[in-house]
C-alpha cells in the first residue's frame, strides 16, 4: 500500500504590530517602570488601550509597547503624562525630536558633571514654570533633575529607589485630608524635604505642614519670588552633591528652621535707603527699610525659640516665615536695583 505524503503544515501567520502578545509585567519591565504606574496611565489617562484576554489579563501589541516606551522616555524628560497621553505616535515622536528645554546651559553641564539634585514635582503648571529662564537662578546647587506627576497618587504609585531631594507640590486648594497623602508620597520617595505652593488653605492646615518641616508659599507669586523661595530651600538642604558628609538620620538640622543667610547687613541697607533713585517711586528705600524690620523680627523670633514656654514652637514658625520673607525681599531689592542702575556691592 502506497502511503500518501502528509499535507504540509500551514506556515505561521506573520506577527502583526497590532497582535496583542505582551502582558503588563513584561511591558513594565521593557519600559523600566512600575506596573502600578502603567495601570494609572491606562485607567486615568487612557494613554494606551490594551486588549483583554479571556483570562482577564491585559495584552499589549508591539505597537502598544513602543508607545509606552516613548511615553516613558518623554516623562523622564519632564513632560507630564496628562499633557501627552492623548497624542498619537507621530506627535509623540515629534516632541521627542525637539531639543530638551534647558534652564541654564552652564548649570546643565555642571549638573551632569557634579550630579544634579533630584526634584519630584507634583503639578504640571508648576513644572512648566520651572522651565522659564531665570526661575532657578537662585539655586545653590546645579539645576535639578525634575520628575513630573499630575497628582500625589500618581507619584506614590511610581515611586522608585531613586530618592528625591525635594518633593515640590502645587496644591491650589490645600485640604486637611491631603496631608496624609503628602506624607505617604514623601515616604515612598524617601524625600529629604517637602515644599508646598497653595492658593487657599485653612490657617491650621498651613501651620500643621510648617510645623512638620514643609516650606510653604502662597500663590500668586511671580517667577522671581518663586525662584527666590526655591533658592532659599535649596540652600537649606544639606549638600550631597560635592564633597559632602553623608547624611545621618536625626543629625541634620530641620531645613525649615534654617533660613538662608543674609545678603545685606544693616550698614548696606542704610546706605541703599539713602541712595538717589531715578524711579518715580522710592522702592529701593522702602524695600531696604522693610528688610531691616524683617531682619529684626527674625532675630527676635529666634531669641524666643529658646524660652522654656509653650510659645517656642510658634516663634520657630515665625522665624521661618520672617526668614523666607526676608530672602524674597532681598531678591526683590536686587531686581529693583538692577532696573534702577544702583550698585549693591
Amino acid at each position: 500500500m502506497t502511503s500518501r505524503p502528509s499535507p504540509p503544515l500551514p506556515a505561521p501567520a506573520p506577527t502583526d504590530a497590532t497582535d496583542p502578545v505582551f502582558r503588563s509585567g513584561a511591558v513594565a519591565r521593557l519600559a523600566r517602570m512600575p506596573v502600578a504606574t502603567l495601570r494609572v496611565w491606562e485607567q486615568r489617562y487612557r494613554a494606551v488601550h490594551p486588549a483583554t484576554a479571556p483570562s482577564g489579563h491585559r495584552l499589549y501589541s508591539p505597537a502598544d509597547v513602543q508607545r509606552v516606551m516613548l511615553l516613558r522616555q518623554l516623562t523622564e524628560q519632564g513632560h507630564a503624562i496628562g499633557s501627552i497621553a492623548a497624542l498619537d505616535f507621530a506627535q509623540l515622536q515629534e516632541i521627542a525630536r525637539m531639543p530638551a528645554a534647558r534652564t541654564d546651559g552652564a548649570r546643565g553641564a555642571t549638573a551632569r558633571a557634579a550630579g544634579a539634585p533630584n526634584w519630584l514635582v507634583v503639578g504640571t503648571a508648576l513644572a512648566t514654570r520651572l522651565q522659564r529662564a531665570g526661575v532657578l537662578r537662585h539655586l545653590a546647587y546645579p539645576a535639578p533633575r525634575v520628575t513630573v506627576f499630575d497628582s500625589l497618587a500618581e507619584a506614590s504609585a511610581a515611586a522608585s529607589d531613586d530618592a528625591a531631594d525635594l518633593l515640590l507640590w502645587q496644591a491650589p486648594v490645600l485640604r486637611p485630608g491631603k496631608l496624609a497623602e503628602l506624607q505617604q508620597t514623601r515616604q515612598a520617595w524617601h524625600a529629604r524635604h517637602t515644599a508646598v505652593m497653595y492658593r487657599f488653605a485653612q490657617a491650621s492646615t498651613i501651620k500643621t505642614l510648617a510645623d512638620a518641616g514643609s516650606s510653604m508659599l502662597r500663590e500668586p507669586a511671580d517667577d522671581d519670588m518663586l525662584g527666590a523661595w526655591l533658592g532659599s530651600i535649596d540652600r537649606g538642604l544639606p549638600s550631597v552633591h560635592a564633597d559632602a558628609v553623608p547624611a545621618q538620620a536625626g543629625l541634620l538640622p530641620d531645613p525649615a528652621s534654617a533660613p538662608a543667610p543674609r545678603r545685606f547687613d544693616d550698614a548696606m541697607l542704610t546706605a541703599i535707603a539713602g541712595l538717589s533713585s531715578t524711579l518715580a517711586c522710592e522702592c529701593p528705600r522702602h524695600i531696604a527699610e522693610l528688610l531691616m524690620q524683617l531682619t529684626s523680627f527674625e532675630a527676635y523670633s529666634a531669641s524666643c525659640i529658646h524660652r522654656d514656654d509653650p510659645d517656642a514652637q510658634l516663634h520657630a514658625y515665625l522665624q521661618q516665615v520672617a526668614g523666607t520673607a526676608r530672602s524674597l525681599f532681598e531678591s526683590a531689592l536686587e531686581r529693583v536695583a538692577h532696573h534702577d542702575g544702583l550698585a549693591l556691592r
Side-chain angles (χ1 to χ4, degrees):
M1 182 176 179
T2 304
S3 60
R4 295 180 180 178
S6 301
L9 295 173
T15 301
D16 187 85
T18 60
D19 289 343
V21 293
F22 296 94
R23 290 176 60 170
S24 57
V27 177
R29 286 193 296 273
L30 288 169
R32 294 180 300 170
M33 62 190 294
V35 175
T37 301
L38 179 60
R39 187 173 297 113
V40 170
W41 285 12
E42 294 168 16
Q43 297 177 354
R44 182 176 302 173
Y45 300 104
R46 301 292 187 266
V48 64
H49 304 278
T52 303
S55 61
H57 294 296
R58 298 187 306 283
L59 295 177
Y60 301 76
S61 68
D64 290 331
V65 176
Q66 273 192 304
R67 178 177 177 82
V68 170
M69 294 178 68
L70 183 53
L71 286 169
R72 175 62 172 166
Q73 173 190 333
L74 293 174
T75 57
E76 287 181 336
Q77 293 174 359
H79 298 278
I81 184 63
S83 65
I84 60 176
L87 302 180
D88 62 32
F89 193 76
Q91 291 171 316
L92 294 174
Q93 287 180 311
E94 184 64 27
I95 294 175
R97 284 192 289 266
M98 293 179 181
R102 295 179 299 171
T103 302
D104 186 300
R107 271 191 174 172
T110 306
R112 288 187 292 273
N118 183 23
W119 285 16
L120 186 68
V121 178
V122 179
T124 307
L126 178 56
T128 300
R129 289 186 67 182
L130 295 183
Q131 296 179 13
R132 297 178 188 169
V135 172
L136 300 182
R137 65 185 177 87
H138 297 283
L139 299 188
Y141 299 117
R145 294 179 290 116
V146 177
T147 304
V148 184
F149 295 98
D150 285 335
S151 67
L152 291 171
E154 181 187 339
S156 293
S160 69
D161 294 331
D162 189 11
D165 294 287
L166 176 65
L167 167 56
L168 181 57
W169 178 35
Q170 184 180 32
V173 179
L174 186 54
R175 303 184 187 280
K178 283 287 187 178
L179 303 189
E181 193 174 353
L182 175 63
Q183 183 65 18
Q184 179 183 356
T185 305
R186 179 176 186 173
Q187 292 174 352
W189 282 87
H190 306 288
R192 300 163 64 205
H193 188 58
T194 57
V196 182
M197 282 186 67
Y198 66 96
R199 293 176 191 160
F200 300 99
Q202 296 178 355
S204 59
T205 303
I206 299 169
K207 185 178 184 303
T208 297
L209 282 173
D211 288 346
S214 293
S215 299
M216 309 295 293
L217 178 66
R218 182 175 181 178
E219 293 188 85
D222 62 24
D223 286 351
D224 194 65
M225 181 178 292
L226 172 61
W229 178 63
L230 293 172
S232 68
I233 296 170
D234 191 56
R235 285 188 292 273
L237 287 172
S239 172
V240 295
H241 308 299
D243 302 323
V245 178
Q248 299 183 38
L251 298 182
L252 295 172
D254 181 0
S257 65
R262 294 181 65 181
R263 286 179 253 174
F264 309 106
D265 57 22
D266 284 348
M268 173 63 75
L269 293 173
T270 301
I272 293 171
L275 291 175
S276 175
S277 173
T278 61
L279 298 175
C281 61
E282 296 185 5
C283 285
R285 178 172 66 83
H286 294 320
I287 296 175
E289 291 173 349
L290 280 170
L291 277 170
M292 285 188 278
Q293 291 179 328
L294 283 169
T295 301
S296 297
F297 183 72
E298 183 182 2
Y300 168 75
S301 299
S303 68
C304 295
I305 292 173
H306 304 291
R307 295 178 182 174
D308 186 17
D309 61 38
D311 294 336
Q313 190 175 30
L314 173 61
H315 285 100
Y317 168 69
L318 293 176
Q319 182 198 10
Q320 176 200 350
V321 171
T324 301
R326 173 192 36 86
S327 181
L328 293 173
F329 271 105
E330 285 173 338
S331 297
L333 180 60
E334 289 179 335
R335 183 169 179 173
V336 169
H338 177 74
H339 178 84
D340 200 26
L342 299 176
L344 299 184
R345 293 284 186 263

